[in-house]
Amino acid sequence: MCGRFVSSTTPDRIASYFGATFDTEPLPANHNVAPTNDVYAVVADAAAQPAVRSFHWGLVPSWAKDVKIGSKMINARAETVAEKPAFKPLLRSKRVIVPMDGFYEWKVVPGQRTKQPYFIHRRDGEPLAVAGLWTAWRDRDAGADAPWLHSCTIITCAANATMAPVHDRMPVLLPPPVWHAWLDPDNHDLDGLTALLVPAPDELLEMHPVSTAVNNVRNKGAELIEVIDLDDVELAE
């Protein structure tokens, strides 16, 4: 799964990187994005052009009774996304790219008291372009004037050789040549779209161990991604 990530790049830089527009309220830099947080995503606007918008992380389907279901729908599996009723209609026309500076994953280490977190990012320092889906929901009990909540989920696939020693899943990372096809709301080719949902090349990513301070969602600072020395990690007796 993908349950925590880093979003510290400014929205104007994200817009420039993806050739998109940006006209929404900026979000604070967050080195420990957690489910139910607001995140940036690139989506096709009314003119089918890429635009950076804010989304609630955790998909809230249009039929949901309340937003709480979103905390259970932060990820969609690539292997079943074209089959699940909650995701298949969105795969047809409501797709996003979630930009990340990197993400965290936890490894079980024999003899260590807690799982060891790792920060995973691109070797070249470029942003990750993560495949996702979005939808809109509003509280029917609040009346016709209730605001819309735009939410998203991140698509995951089997881990590549780089990720496998830490976890068996990873987010789907889209290369630049397929960004347009992924965002195009008129592209309804499910076979072609699901063919994009594959593990990233092994050489694209690198990782390093970080402090267990990332385990606390209240910690948001840049120090969370700093490399630690595993020799200093306390082992169980």
Side-chain angles (χ1 to χ4, degrees):
M1 63 176 294
C2 178
R4 302 279 185 84
F5 66 89
V6 175
S7 178
S8 61
T9 302
T10 60
D12 55 326
R13 290 187 62 189
I14 292 173
S16 176
Y17 186 76
F18 287 97
T21 60
F22 172 73
D23 61 0
T24 189
E25 283 294 314
L27 300 172
N30 189 345
H31 288 77
N32 197 5
V33 178
T36 74
N37 287 171
D38 286 343
V39 301
Y40 292 125
V42 183
V43 64
D45 64 14
Q49 298 302 308
V52 180
R53 298 286 186 266
S54 296
F55 288 80
H56 173 91
W57 182 24
L59 195 78
V60 183
S62 59
W63 42 261
K65 294 182 179 180
D66 59 51
V67 300
K68 293 179 181 178
I69 192 174
S71 63
K72 300 178 180 179
M73 300 184 70
I74 63 169
N75 292 163
R77 294 176 66 92
E79 297 86 347
T80 57
V81 69
E83 304 167 4
K84 297 288 186 179
F87 300 135
K88 183 176 181 178
L90 308 182
L91 182 63
R92 287 183 56 84
S93 60
K94 291 187 175 181
R95 301 177 297 272
V96 295
I97 294 174
V98 180
M100 300 180 184
D101 299 310
F103 60 97
Y104 299 103
E105 201 51 81
W106 283 257
K107 180 181 181 180
V108 175
V109 180
Q112 191 167 310
R113 294 180 184 278
T114 59
K115 291 182 180 180
Q116 175 59 53
Y118 283 78
F119 177 59
I120 301 102
H121 56 98
R122 282 184 56 142
R123 291 181 183 274
D124 58 11
E126 295 292 307
L128 304 176
V130 177
L133 306 173
W134 73 275
T135 192
W137 172 90
R138 67 178 173 184
D139 186 352
R140 294 182 178 87
D141 295 334
D145 295 330
W148 287 97
L149 175 72
H150 293 84
S151 62
C152 67
T153 189
I154 289 168
I155 302 177
T156 66
C157 61
N160 62 15
T162 303
M163 277 294 304
V166 175
H167 201 275
D168 61 357
R169 305 290 296 177
M170 68 182 297
V172 172
L173 308 180
L174 300 173
V178 307
W179 291 351
H180 174 75
W182 181 256
L183 294 177
D184 183 2
D186 293 324
N187 179 8
H188 306 308
D189 177 9
L190 294 185
D191 288 338
L193 291 165
T194 55
L196 303 177
L197 307 179
V198 295
D202 295 337
E203 67 277 6
L204 185 70
L205 302 174
E206 63 182 11
M207 68 179 74
H208 60 256
V210 296
S211 168
T212 53
V214 73
N215 295 354
N216 189 329
V217 297
R218 292 190 294 272
N219 297 328
K220 305 289 187 182
E223 70 279 0
L224 295 177
I225 66 172
E226 294 178 0
V227 182
I228 65 164
D229 186 345
L230 289 180
D231 290 338
D232 295 334
V233 176
E234 181 180 4
L235 298 180
E237 295 181 357

